[in-house]
Amino acid sequence: MSIPCTTGRHDDHDVFAAQCPCRDVLDVLASKWSALAIGAMEEGPQRFGSIQRRLEGVSPKVLTNTLRRLETLGFVDRTVYPAVPAHVEYALTPLGRGVAEPLGLLRGWVEGHLDEIRSAGTEAPAQV
């Protein structure tokens, strides 16, 4: 199902179309680190270190790149407070809060069905 483009930049939005810019957004949101970073910020603004501790296993480089991509797409605001050292907080924008709900449902579904998935013979990989 395609949706007419309201900006006039293209005819419609269709994630199944190879050239649709929707795919770039879907690529970012389908990333496990993006989905988890958005979840980590659902309770309010967070500092980088707090997000990194919550997302066990993410490297500083990957988290930095993830937060930059989310900021570029308008899902996250980055605020720098003047201090020594600089105090930086990341917070969900209204757009980010809007996508947090469906991503939260997906995270909950995965947690709720993992045993069922594994017992069906589809062993979840330890690292992807």
Side-chain angles (χ1 to χ4, degrees), residues 66-79 90:
T66 299
L67 291 171
R68 283 182 183 158
R69 290 177 78 189
L70 291 171
E71 182 182 11
T72 299
L73 291 171
F75 294 114
V76 170
D77 274 333
R78 179 179 182 266
T79 305
Y90 298 88

Side-chain angles (χ1 to χ4, degrees), residues 91-115:
L92 295 176
T93 63
L95 198 58
R97 285 190 297 278
V99 78
E101 183 179 351
L103 289 175
L105 291 171
L106 179 60
R107 291 189 310 269
W109 186 91
V110 169
E111 290 173 345
H113 290 84
L114 184 60
D115 294 335

Side-chain angles (χ1 to χ4, degrees), residues 29-128:
L29 293 176
S31 156
K32 72 178 174 186
W33 295 123
S34 292
L36 294 173
I38 288 170
M41 291 181 274
E42 283 180 309
E43 295 178 11
Q46 302 287 322
R47 294 181 73 170
F48 184 90
S50 174
I51 298 170
Q52 186 178 17
R53 283 188 296 279
R54 182 79 193 270
L55 276 58
E56 295 178 11
V58 68
S59 72
K61 179 180 178 180
V62 169
L63 182 55
T64 297
N65 290 339
T66 299
L67 291 171
R68 283 182 183 158
R69 290 177 78 189
L70 291 171
E71 182 182 11
T72 299
L73 291 171
F75 294 114
V76 170
D77 274 333
R78 179 179 182 266
T79 305
V80 180
Y81 296 96
V84 178
H87 175 100
V88 180
E89 285 186 348
Y90 298 88
L92 295 176
T93 63
L95 198 58
R97 285 190 297 278
V99 78
E101 183 179 351
L103 289 175
L105 291 171
L106 179 60
R107 291 189 310 269
W109 186 91
V110 169
E111 290 173 345
H113 290 84
L114 184 60
D115 294 335
E116 181 182 343
I117 293 165
R118 286 189 166 183
S119 68
T122 309
E123 192 69 25
Q127 293 270 3
V128 176

